[in-house]
Amino acid sequence: MFLGLDSSTQSLSALVIDPARGEIVREVSVNFGAELPAYHSPSGFIPGGKGGEVHADPRMWMEALDLVFAKLTDGFDLSRITAVACSGQQHGSVYFDATLEQRLATLDAGVPVVDQLSPALTRATAPIWMDTSTGAECAEIAAAAGGNAEVCRLSGSIAIERFTGPQIRRFHKLDPASYEKTAVIHLVSSFVGSVLAGKSIAIDHGDGAGMNLLNLQTLDWDDALLDATAPDLRAKLPPAAASATIAGPVSAYFVEKYGLSGNCQVVLSTGDNPSSLVGMGATAPGTIVISLGTSDTFFAAMENAVTDPQGFGHVFGNPAGGFMSLICFRNGSLAREALRDELGLDWSAFDSAGLAGTPAGNDGKRMLPFYGPEITPRRDFDGPVRNFPADASAPVQVRALLEGQFLNMRLHSLWIGEKAELIRLTGGASQSNGIAQLIADVFQAPVERFAIANGAGLGAALRAAHACGHDLAKLQADFCKPAAGSRLEPDASLAAVYDEALADYRAML
Ligand SMILES: Nc1ncnc2c1ncn2[C@@H]1O[C@H](COP(=O)(O)OP(=O)(O)O)[C@@H](O)[C@H]1O
Ligand SMILES: O=C(CO)[C@@H](O)[C@H](O)COP(=O)(O)O
């Protein structure tokens, strides 16, 4: 059996697969806001950050790791796990002093992980992907590296506020003494994998490409980008390596405390989106994945690494080899939640009121669906912009928000230059039938969903099995199957409605 962990924005989830039976045999999850209230992070991050700062408490992730294993072992024998792999929300970074390695190597099974590792933190909080505070640092990095076109050519993305390099630069500028004391900088994904392995593990090419530091040709940290970012940075970064690399056996901490086998191997971690590419059976070009987690993302395996001249799109490593494109939207589930709560609805009423009770195209009532700063397009919105009165009925508002979100996604994915032939949906909001049908109609493409909405966790478990010799195509054929009757066809009669809506939306932006 193989274990996949996914440390995303709002939860840490774990999923066990049995390839012999082609079945998911266990799924548990820890919701940070609900189950770790002491961190005062209802949506997985510390609210109220100033100047675009969005950080999370890395101690919360450490505590969640013990909690998720405690849940996993309840009635389940973890000695049957052959290997484990992790994924994590992308771009977030965790900073440690030189005692980290010794602490990881000697974790005491009698003491929680958080008590043993938190004294090594050199930055109390971890910037995460929602952070937009590094505009100045992005401009400085671009200038030092020869311009954004060059940063994009080297790393697959222009300098982007949430990416780890600009975040590291900001830390160096704000607190040079703590930067100096920092010996190791991990991504969220490689940090969780390092705790499991009892040593610092490498950063994979999937998540590493979200740092503005990895050279996509050499697949190593790029000296020009390192120099443009912060001093002595190479020495503070783990090496970059292929996603399918086995890092070594699991730490004795997890053997003694939770009954994992001493032979259980830890495979390198990757980002939650690259992991979902694997878990949604989309590692070969042709299928587009839309993930509706905290962020909305749109991604696909790439035939050739094509960069986005406008700077919205990114190129990351595909964990199965080659590259993937990705576009990220910050106003995803949290914007939908904001309107749902404003209108006092639950998800089922949100679906039926908004989508069943209004016509496609919303009779021309449109919304720029942004409750706060947006990544794509990059702008600091104060709230949604409507071409209709703000006190319109609930159904009109819900449809305007959802149509706005997916028109925005269609508009900003045009640079990829290919019409979507098949879309697979994952993430929490993919459970909504109304949203799934709307996506089929806006993109005029069939939409499929799986029985579980955790494509990243499934991808992590599949990667663990693949790194241990299982054939990836066979694993994907067995596990990446749309749920029976889940395929939704687009309504062809709505093509013109959404072409017109797209033109309106573009004009409003
Ligand atoms: N039925 C639903 N309709 C719309 N959104 C939903 C539904 N169920 C869950 N969600 C949304 O899913 C989000 C969590 O998705 P998830 O993929 O677990 O996020 P993450 O991986 O970023 O932690 C929540 O913010 C919630 O708003
Ligand atoms: O910034 C990005 C991708 O570039 C986000 O997609 C994060 O990876 C967060 O993922 P979720 O928690 O929303 O799945």
Side-chain angles (χ1 to χ4, degrees):
M1 298 196 185
F2 296 88
L3 169 62
L5 294 180
D6 176 44
S7 183
S8 282
T9 313
Q10 301 190 57
S11 61
L12 173 63
S13 55
L15 182 154
V16 179
I17 59 163
D18 181 353
R21 286 193 283 155
E23 278 175 19
I24 295 170
V25 294
R26 188 133 178 88
E27 238 196 305
V28 297
S29 148
V30 172
N31 181 282
F32 300 135
E35 295 175 62
L36 294 166
Y39 293 99
H40 305 291
S41 301
S43 300
F45 55 88
I46 302 159
K50 299 276 180 295
E53 195 173 278
V54 184
H55 285 204
D57 192 328
R59 295 173 306 168
M60 179 180 77
W61 300 329
M62 297 176 197
E63 244 192 89
L65 193 57
D66 268 320
L67 252 182
V68 91
F69 269 95
K71 288 191 182 192
L72 263 177
T73 46
D74 189 13
F76 189 80
D77 175 8
L78 285 183
S79 71
R80 292 141 84 195
I81 306 290
T82 304
V84 51
C86 305
S87 65
Q89 56 171 302
Q90 298 196 249
H91 319 296
S93 41
V94 198
Y95 301 71
F96 293 101
D97 67 20
T99 67
L100 177 71
E101 295 306 330
Q102 176 69 10
R103 288 172 186 276
L104 286 173
T106 57
L107 280 177
D108 175 350
V111 182
V113 166
V114 65
D115 295 345
Q116 300 184 70
L117 296 187
S118 55
L121 287 166
T122 53
R123 192 176 192 180
T125 56
I128 67 158
W129 66 276
M130 297 172 83
D131 191 292
T132 54
S133 69
T134 62
E137 288 74 17
C138 287
E140 290 158 5
I141 289 170
N148 253 328
E150 181 63 2
V151 177
C152 190
R153 189 186 69 80
L154 294 170
S155 74
S157 306
I158 64 167
I160 297 281
E161 287 158 304
R162 72 187 188 285
F163 277 35
T164 323
Q167 294 292 342
I168 292 172
R169 180 169 179 81
R170 182 159 185 263
F171 179 47
H172 166 66
K173 282 168 58 183
L174 289 179
D175 189 354
S178 298
Y179 176 79
E180 179 116 344
K181 259 201 280 160
T182 301
V184 191
I185 302 173
H186 272 295
L187 294 179
V188 178
S189 65
S190 64
F191 163 63
V192 178
S194 296
V195 181
L196 288 171
K199 62 178 185 186
S200 265
I201 64 169
I203 290 178
D204 89 305
H205 301 146
D207 221 8
M211 301 172 77
N212 280 143
L213 293 172
L214 188 77
N215 183 308
L216 291 186
Q217 261 87 50
T218 64
L219 296 177
D220 187 13
W221 307 125
D222 184 277
D223 283 322
L225 294 173
L226 292 169
D227 291 347
T229 301
D232 304 321
L233 184 49
R234 185 181 282 275
K236 299 179 197 288
L237 292 176
S243 313
T245 309
I246 294 181
V250 74
S251 151
Y253 179 91
F254 294 92
V255 175
E256 281 173 42
K257 192 163 181 179
Y258 300 113
L260 279 160
S261 154
N263 294 323
C264 174
Q265 300 298 312
V266 179
V267 176
L268 289 193
S269 309
T270 192
D272 56 359
N273 295 296
S275 189
S276 291
L277 192 78
V278 178
M280 299 308 289
T283 38
T287 303
I288 281 163
V289 182
I290 294 179
S291 168
L292 307 171
T294 310
S295 60
D296 287 349
T297 54
F298 177 105
F299 52 92
M302 291 179 116
E303 204 81 68
N304 304 301
V306 185
T307 49
D308 171 16
Q310 295 185 81
F312 301 128
H314 314 300
V315 179
F316 296 156
N318 173 343
F323 297 98
M324 63 183 280
S325 58
L326 182 135
I327 310 162
C328 180
F329 305 87
R330 190 178 187 274
N331 284 270
S333 282
L334 297 181
R336 290 184 284 273
E337 278 180 24
L339 181 61
R340 182 202 61 180
D341 295 345
E342 226 171 274
L343 299 173
L345 303 173
D346 62 15
W347 283 130
S348 129
F350 191 80
D351 240 31
S352 51
L355 295 169
T358 45
N362 214 17
D363 292 323
K365 298 188 179 67
R366 317 261 182 243
M367 186 193 283
L368 302 184
F370 308 113
Y371 277 75
E374 178 48 52
I375 293 168
T376 315
R378 177 67 196 98
R379 219 182 283 172
D380 286 335
F381 292 92
D382 275 338
V385 178
R386 302 171 176 87
N387 71 352
F388 58 91
D391 61 355
S393 71
V396 165
Q397 303 231 40
V398 172
R399 183 172 277 281
L401 174 94
L402 294 174
E403 287 189 344
Q405 287 186 317
F406 298 108
L407 288 168
N408 187 54
M409 190 179 272
R410 182 172 147 188
L411 182 65
H412 289 100
S413 54
L414 292 174
W415 64 273
I416 296 175
E418 282 168 37
K419 186 189 171 313
E421 297 299 342
L422 173 67
I423 295 174
R424 285 187 166 165
L425 291 189
T426 186
S430 68
Q431 295 166 78
S432 156
N433 293 328
I435 291 177
Q437 183 62 54
L438 178 67
I439 290 174
D441 293 339
V442 168
F443 284 90
Q444 286 291 298
V447 161
E448 292 179 346
R449 288 172 290 170
F450 294 176
I452 56 150
N454 184 5
L458 176 58
L462 297 183
R463 288 198 316 105
H466 171 52
C468 293
H470 283 262
D471 180 58
L472 185 60
K474 163 97 173 69
L475 287 167
Q476 289 178 322
D478 290 345
F479 284 95
C480 307
K481 284 194 281 232
S486 81
R487 188 177 162 107
L488 299 172
E489 297 298 333
D491 179 345
S493 72
L494 299 180
V497 172
Y498 284 117
D499 284 347
E500 191 185 319
L502 190 69
D504 283 2
Y505 183 87
R506 193 199 292 261
M508 269 177 84
L509 255 190

